Amino acid sequence: VDLAHAVGNLPLRLHDNGFGFADLTGERDSIFIPPTEIGGALDGDQVRVQLRPGHGGRTSARVVEVLERRHTRVRGHLRLEDGQCWVAPFSEKLPLIFISEAAGAPPWPEGSIVEAEITAFPDHHDEAPDGRIVQVFEGDAAAPEQVVLHILSDLNLAPDFSPATLA
């Protein structure tokens, strides 16, 4: 592995503890990325990484560029903390989304199931993305139809058929 250059268009998989792995197709199964080297990348993003020597002779990497965002919208529960509004995504691999438009008390109760659009992505691993609420869902989050919609959202798939498909 050539450590002098960046390799790119690699899918990033993040662990709940903040570190990640970039899949190096054809060379190795994956390469370790420490939490401080993730930058503003989120789970599932396509990234370019700079390879570097790691601990114990193993190669590690740092994210130098996010090429494509996997998640631009996320579903989760609305959380209110110290006068601030957040969305806790159903996917545990995604960070809390700060809802800046909800200054003061939002019109929805805490725990509401919402979909948020990410409006500003972080630059560093310890920053939260900014977002806005685009939809509030009624009903039980554990209802089968809601669970299917949450899974589709996590996979970044549209729940509706296109007009061409319906024709």
Side-chain angles (χ1 to χ4, degrees):
V1 176
D2 181 3
L3 300 180
H5 73 284
V7 289
N9 215 353
L10 306 174
L12 177 66
R13 293 177 292 119
L14 292 183
H15 187 273
D16 298 348
N17 290 340
F19 59 85
F21 295 93
D23 293 330
L24 291 174
T25 307
E27 292 189 38
R28 293 187 184 168
D29 292 337
S30 61
I31 190 144
F32 177 75
I33 304 174
T36 56
E37 303 295 341
I38 297 291
L42 302 178
D43 185 62
D45 288 349
Q46 293 292 121
V47 298
R48 182 178 325 279
V49 298
Q50 175 72 49
L51 302 178
R52 52 180 42 180
H55 296 294
R58 300 181 117 174
T59 302
S60 68
R62 73 178 179 90
V63 174
V64 294
E65 182 181 7
V66 175
L67 301 171
E68 183 180 340
R69 295 288 184 179
R70 176 175 177 209
H71 297 280
T72 57
R73 289 183 175 219
V74 297
R75 286 184 185 219
H77 290 286
L78 190 69
R79 288 179 44 182
L80 305 175
E81 295 179 8
D82 299 325
Q84 295 182 328
C85 184
W86 300 84
V87 173
F90 291 131
S91 172
E92 295 177 358
K93 294 181 179 184
L94 295 174
L96 293 173
I97 312 296
F98 177 67
I99 307 300
S100 55
E101 68 182 8
W108 318 284
E110 182 165 6
S112 295
I113 303 167
V114 298
E115 183 169 351
E117 176 183 43
I118 298 175
T119 57
F121 288 91
D123 292 323
H124 302 287
H125 75 283
D126 58 352
E127 297 175 345
D130 286 343
R132 66 183 186 89
I133 303 294
V134 293
Q135 191 169 2
V136 179
F137 297 94
E138 302 293 326
D140 179 12
E145 62 273 6
Q146 287 296 329
V147 171
V148 169
L149 290 174
H150 303 327
I151 292 168
L152 291 173
S153 174
D154 191 48
L155 294 172
N156 219 19
L157 298 172
D160 302 316
F161 292 110
S162 70
T165 303
L166 294 173

